[in-house]
Amino acid sequence: MYHSYAAIGDSFTEGVGDELPNGSVRGWADFVALGLAAAAREPVGYANLAIRGRKLGPIIDEQLDRAIALRPDLLSFNGGGNDMLRPRMDEQVTASRFRDAIERIRAAGIHVLMLSGANPTEHLPMGKLFDARGARLTAALVDLAEVPGVTFVDNFNDRGLRDIRYWSPDKLHLNALGHARVASNVLTGLGVPVPAEWGVDEVAAAPTGPRSRNTAAYYREFVLPWIGRRLTGRSSGDGRSAKRPTLDPVAPDAAA
């Protein structure tokens, strides 16, 4: 049983794509906290320090020490997705930074949940390039699954998760169904039951979605603004702070 959980990362961990009616985002990490609370049958402390748009370096430099200082039982670590979208990426340097961060978490006596992000590359322009980078990075880290105190969840190679039904309109971020499936992968990896109310198995068993096509409207609404931010050195996370900076309780009955 884990009685406290902290998450660090980028938009994937923040929950972008799983927007709630009040304008906030939920996401897989929130689902995991709910699942942990339901399994424990008591409130679980949960913090989420992830901020959209962050590359791996800032995630480690800005979030890791803060998360370790909270002294959670479980700390999830994901990053590198925004690095893959840049013109150049050294997978070995990135993998080395991952390893160093994981050792810092383990040295603090905290169980590490390391997970790869979901793979959107079948739906993105230049998807084959990003797919190759992600595959090399995941392969460079897969041996960490055998390290004591580390649970590795490989969402990147979850073929079913590539179905367009799991992705938001920008095709870069998961929607609510996708975030729920990632949470199911995580809870299963931790040996924690997945609440049946989430309907993850039923969605997975349903027919797959249509083939994804990128229209001119898609490029205008999503691709060109992204390019504009890159050219001007801006990020979607500029001016944002962590949505849940402290270990606040999540009630077990909220999982329903």
Side-chain angles (χ1 to χ4, degrees):
M1 293 294 181
Y2 299 100
H3 298 282
S4 55
Y5 163 49
I8 62 175
D10 52 28
S11 58
F12 173 62
T13 301
E14 184 186 347
V16 174
D18 184 11
E19 281 76 22
L20 299 176
N22 64 3
S24 65
V25 296
R26 182 174 48 186
W28 68 264
D30 290 34
F31 279 117
V32 167
L34 293 167
L36 294 176
R41 298 184 180 180
E42 62 182 50
V44 166
Y46 167 50
N48 191 322
L49 307 180
I51 296 178
R52 65 193 68 182
R54 292 296 192 263
K55 295 170 67 177
L56 181 63
I59 291 172
I60 294 173
D61 296 341
E62 300 168 6
Q63 301 175 24
L64 182 58
D65 284 341
R66 291 175 59 199
I68 290 174
L70 295 173
R71 309 300 301 175
D73 296 334
L74 177 69
L75 199 164
S76 67
F77 176 41
N78 168 267
N82 290 299
D83 300 71
M84 292 179 199
L85 298 177
R86 297 311 192 266
R88 294 179 179 84
M89 174 185 175
D90 188 322
E91 289 88 3
Q92 293 305 315
V93 171
T94 303
S96 179
R97 295 214 68 183
F98 261 102
R99 292 178 181 278
D100 291 344
I102 287 167
E103 285 307 308
R104 286 167 60 185
I105 301 170
R106 292 180 67 243
I110 300 169
H111 190 89
V112 185
L113 168 60
M114 186 184 80
L115 67 164
S116 58
N119 187 345
T121 57
E122 292 184 3
H123 315 299
L124 295 178
M126 299 180 64
K128 290 184 178 180
L129 170 63
F130 304 140
D131 180 58
R133 287 178 174 178
R136 289 194 296 267
L137 179 59
T138 301
L141 296 169
V142 70
D143 63 292
L144 291 172
E146 306 302 322
V147 175
V150 176
T151 296
F152 176 49
V153 177
D154 186 4
N155 296 292
F156 191 82
N157 289 308
D158 179 353
R159 297 293 306 184
L161 191 52
R162 301 185 188 190
D163 188 328
I164 193 63
R165 294 178 303 146
Y166 292 112
W167 295 89
S168 63
D170 68 6
K171 303 182 184 180
L172 182 63
H173 299 99
L174 295 170
N175 59 22
L177 296 178
H179 280 284
R181 177 157 175 153
V182 168
S184 174
N185 291 346
V186 169
L187 292 174
T188 299
L190 294 171
V192 175
V194 179
E197 299 94 329
W198 297 355
V200 174
D201 291 340
E202 288 84 348
V203 174
T208 58
R211 180 179 175 83
S212 175
R213 297 185 183 279
N214 294 329
T215 64
Y218 169 79
Y219 279 89
R220 285 195 303 270
E221 185 173 357
F222 299 111
V223 178
L224 293 179
W226 182 87
I227 293 173
R229 289 196 299 272
R230 299 288 78 74
L231 293 176
T232 57
R234 293 176 292 120
S235 167
S236 58
D238 287 347
R240 302 188 72 91
S241 57
K243 70 177 186 180
R244 198 179 177 100
T246 57
L247 290 171
D248 295 326
V250 172
D253 58 356

